[in-house]
Amino acid sequence: MLFKPGESCEICDSREGVLEQCSMCGAYCCENCRDDKEKICLTCQEARCFICAEYLASRACDRCGRLVCEDHGVKVNEVTVCNLCRANET
Amino acid sequence: MTMTAVHLGMDDIDSPRGGCTTHFASLLVEELTELGASWLDYPNLIRLNPNIPYRTRGNGAVTLRFELEASDVDQVLPRSNLLLKKYLKEDYPNTNPGMVIATGDVPVDLLGFSKLALWRTVPVALARRLVARLALPYIAIGNRRGLIGALSAIGNPLRQDHTYEYIAYRSIELTSRERGVDVDSVFKMNQKYGNRLFSNIDGSAQKILIEPHGPDPVIYGIRGETPLDVIKAADLIQSKQDKERWMVFRTNQGTGAHLVHRVRLSDIRPYMAAVVEGEVATKSKIIEGGHVIFKITDGPTNAECAVYEPTGEFREIATMLIEGDKVSLDVGVRPASRMHGLTLNVEGLRILQLTDEVILVNPICPHCLKRMKSAGKEKGFKCIKCGFKDPQAKKTEIPVERQLKAGRYLPPPRAQRHLTRPMNRMDRRNNGIPNNLVDEWHDP
């Protein structure tokens, strides 16, 4: 099945209203599934790095559970620790 | 007596420090059987998009489907909640359990939601909207992310291809000890049951794959085609730790259910599970850590692809691809970071068409039949034996036989996702919801 973006909201599948592209991931989403102020979809809003908010997360921090991008979390022995927890531990 | 069909979905009842949603489900089966549940299906273990960053391990959610006297349905969630509170490891901040109940037929909206959760990321906000709109009773703790898996599990009745997994559990108090699964017993089991089981061993590495390594209560899990196959196969497994309980799950493991969308490279989104087609644009290179990187193009767009070191011999295939080869890749999309753009993590590969590979060699001297040498930039070639010069001569193309063949390639079983359709299931489909359950599918 070929994915054809732009026909409906990529999050809730709604075909109503104006679809706009998320500035972080490019997904087309309806007004219920985006934050117009930040111009991003709700998925990116939840999945972005809690430290920089600039990039999407690659892992959850094993200590605090929050999501971090590759720049703000270090993976040691299969365990990801965010820079904030690392700073607090040292 | 009026019986009501109940679908009880649950997710995120685990953490890297212990617990397991399937183990919790097995405790709940015991509890609900005491309440008078009549089981409509084996517990469904639904694996969701494996590229989600906040999954604990295999991103699996569970649904229990049963009939209960209508007057008892109201008791299900409070009893489940009591059990959940006893079970939770509250010291871990990234556990966000969710449980949802739906009665009667599975709501149509959940079918679509569940399909989305197999290959995309779904925001908690959408799950919350859905439970509110459908007025579904639920329990949600923490950031409520568990609702996503709970709803998705209910919304996937496994009407099409499915498999089974027998999971043996140890006592929750003994989860720090060695499981001690006997390797020989696993290989013997695999030999005896052949193609009726899958993904339980990795033959090339002589490794067993049924034993997890974390502090969870699972001793081992045996994947197979029918409930009886996995139950009988489990009789052959020996381990140091005793089984405290066991249960059979009907699952979407080994079905490739996450890879049903073909996506143009320009439409790729972070965390997607997708199938992309294109031509190899740059030959692969091996980077630090042993990972293999190459680029593909589908015309207007290029994308970087990565084949990681743990995929072992699968990397060799990637290193043999050359520019112009036409491929179809099963990928998980890794989001961009400051260091790199979106990357397609390759978890399967189909070579559609191999391009001709040639090597360029110096032309042969027409007089003495020896290879000539370059006479300098744009000066043609000269023979160092007889002195013949040919300013028009060009390098000759010699075809090289490709080591690769068109077809499907997968990483070895140890590096496959739970959802990956393994080689020995390529042509196999188990369709339909079972009419009857085997007599003993759990204990206790």
Side-chain angles (χ1 to χ4, degrees):
Chain A
M1 184 190 324
L2 180 67
F3 170 55
K4 291 178 187 163
E7 290 182 349
S8 63
C9 172
E10 289 181 39
I11 294 173
C12 72
D13 205 27
S14 163
R15 286 167 190 264
E16 288 168 19
V18 180
L19 298 178
E20 281 184 18
Q21 270 194 293
C22 167
S23 64
M24 277 187 104
C25 72
Y28 287 89
C29 40
C30 69
E31 59 185 354
N32 290 326
C33 295
R34 66 175 183 253
D35 182 325
D36 275 331
K37 218 161 145 191
E38 296 194 89
K39 307 269 181 219
I40 61 172
C41 69
L42 298 184
T43 306
C44 288
Q45 201 171 45
E46 288 178 12
R48 64 189 168 173
C49 171
F50 86 93
I51 294 178
C52 67
E54 202 177 331
Y55 290 98
L56 290 172
S58 58
R59 291 291 292 266
C61 170
D62 187 64
R63 305 276 192 273
C64 69
R66 288 179 287 186
L67 297 174
V68 277
C69 68
E70 286 173 22
D71 297 321
H72 294 111
V74 177
K75 200 172 164 187
V76 183
N77 298 329
E78 294 301 306
V79 170
T80 300
V81 183
C82 74
N83 287 0
L84 200 64
C85 288
R86 231 159 36 110
N88 289 338
E89 282 169 10
T90 51
Chain B
M1 190 163 74
T2 313
M3 298 297 273
T4 302
V6 181
H7 311 268
L8 175 60
M10 63 203 77
D11 187 27
D12 211 359
I13 307 172
D14 60 352
S15 80
R17 295 172 202 167
C20 173
T21 306
T22 67
H23 179 248
F24 178 75
S26 79
L27 299 172
L28 207 47
V29 163
E30 197 183 340
E31 176 93 5
L32 294 171
T33 303
E34 278 173 23
L35 189 64
S38 165
W39 298 96
L40 295 170
D41 195 353
Y42 300 96
N44 294 172
L45 167 57
I46 308 296
R47 299 285 180 184
L48 303 168
N49 184 355
N51 307 304
I52 300 296
Y54 30 77
R55 71 186 191 282
T56 313
R57 283 179 290 267
N59 206 15
V62 173
T63 288
L64 305 178
R65 303 185 198 273
F66 51 94
E67 278 188 327
L68 199 62
E69 207 175 316
S71 57
D72 288 337
V73 172
D74 286 347
Q75 289 187 53
V76 173
L77 215 50
R79 286 178 84 146
S80 305
N81 199 15
L82 273 180
L83 197 63
L84 180 67
K85 282 182 178 157
K86 272 195 257 171
Y87 192 80
L88 282 181
K89 298 252 179 209
E90 287 180 356
D91 61 328
Y92 185 67
N94 194 29
T95 293
N96 303 293
M99 296 182 81
V100 180
I101 281 194
T103 50
D105 292 336
V106 174
V108 176
D109 286 356
L110 294 194
L111 303 178
F113 182 87
S114 182
K115 280 181 185 159
L116 187 69
L118 269 172
W119 73 294
R120 298 292 298 266
T121 24
V122 180
V124 178
L126 181 62
R128 293 177 71 170
R129 249 189 270 159
L130 210 50
V131 285
R133 195 171 74 228
L134 299 171
L136 300 174
Y138 68 91
I139 301 165
I141 299 171
N143 66 15
R144 305 184 171 213
R145 195 171 282 136
L147 283 178
I148 298 171
L151 289 168
S152 303
I154 293 174
N156 188 346
L158 294 171
R159 288 197 188 110
Q160 284 159 358
D161 191 21
H162 59 264
T163 60
Y164 291 83
E165 181 164 2
Y166 172 109
I167 304 183
Y169 302 99
R170 53 189 171 171
S171 160
I172 204 96
E173 286 80 34
L174 301 175
T175 52
S176 59
R177 301 202 189 153
E178 189 197 352
R179 294 170 171 88
V181 174
D182 178 63
V183 174
D184 287 344
S185 69
V186 181
F187 276 92
K188 277 181 191 158
M189 169 199 78
N190 203 66
Q191 195 173 25
K192 181 168 180 187
Y193 285 89
N195 271 355
R196 284 140 69 192
L197 303 180
F198 66 91
S199 301
N200 294 305
I201 63 155
D202 186 321
S204 63
Q206 289 292 295
K207 272 189 173 175
I208 63 166
L209 305 177
I210 69 169
E211 183 184 20
H213 301 290
D216 56 273
V218 175
I219 308 179
Y220 57 82
I222 297 167
R223 291 169 275 261
E225 299 294 344
T226 71
L228 281 177
D229 286 336
V230 292
I231 292 168
K232 283 181 185 166
D235 281 343
L236 301 177
I237 301 300
Q238 290 159 8
S239 65
K240 276 186 196 161
Q241 284 197 308
D242 291 331
K243 265 188 271 190
E244 189 192 58
R245 57 178 57 244
W246 63 267
M247 197 154 81
V248 172
F249 293 84
R250 199 161 73 87
T251 93
N252 60 352
Q253 293 174 164
T255 63
H258 60 317
L259 293 167
V260 296
H261 292 87
R262 200 157 52 81
V263 181
R264 293 184 201 98
L265 294 179
S266 55
D267 298 334
I268 283 290
R269 314 272 187 252
Y271 312 122
M272 232 180 204
V275 180
V276 296
E277 275 185 24
E279 269 187 21
V280 176
T282 61
K283 195 169 162 30
S284 62
K285 61 180 181 195
I286 300 176
I287 60 165
E288 193 183 336
H291 313 305
V292 172
I293 306 289
F294 63 96
K295 276 191 179 159
I296 64 163
T297 178
D298 62 359
T301 316
N302 284 4
E304 192 160 78
C305 305
V307 181
Y308 292 105
E309 190 276 334
T311 61
E313 52 268 35
F314 184 59
R315 281 178 317 157
E316 311 297 320
I317 306 299
T319 57
M320 287 191 271
L321 292 171
I322 60 169
E323 285 160 40
D325 284 344
K326 287 190 178 139
V327 291
S328 166
L329 305 175
D330 300 340
V331 300
V333 184
R334 176 183 171 200
S337 76
R338 215 171 294 276
M339 306 295 285
H340 60 81
L342 277 185
T343 307
L344 308 183
N345 293 343
V346 183
E347 55 175 89
L349 157 71
R350 188 185 296 278
I351 299 177
L352 304 173
Q353 195 180 349
L354 289 167
T355 194
D356 292 333
E357 186 173 15
V358 292
I359 52 166
L360 295 173
V361 293
N362 291 353
I364 289 171
C365 171
H367 298 293
C368 50
L369 303 178
K370 295 284 176 194
R371 288 221 179 270
M372 297 196 286
K373 291 240 161 152
S374 170
K377 196 177 177 190
E378 293 172 5
K379 288 183 180 165
F381 287 84
K382 64 183 178 189
C383 179
I384 53 167
K385 195 174 175 197
C386 69
F388 171 76
K389 282 187 183 173
D390 183 354
Q392 305 301 321
K394 289 203 164 58
K395 288 207 174 207
T396 315
E397 287 186 350
I398 297 181
V400 177
E401 195 183 340
R402 299 290 305 270
Q403 300 297 305
L404 286 173
K405 286 193 166 57
R408 181 111 175 101
Y409 295 89
L410 283 180
R414 66 182 179 280
Q416 288 172 11
R417 309 282 206 183
H418 289 287
L419 278 166
T420 303
R421 179 179 289 282
M423 283 299 185
N424 64 345
R425 293 207 80 246
M426 281 301 162
D427 301 317
R428 171 129 199 174
R429 300 289 183 279
N430 301 316
N431 287 330
I433 297 169
N435 294 323
N436 300 300
L437 311 190
V438 296
D439 288 341
E440 286 185 27
W441 52 271
H442 65 99
D443 184 35

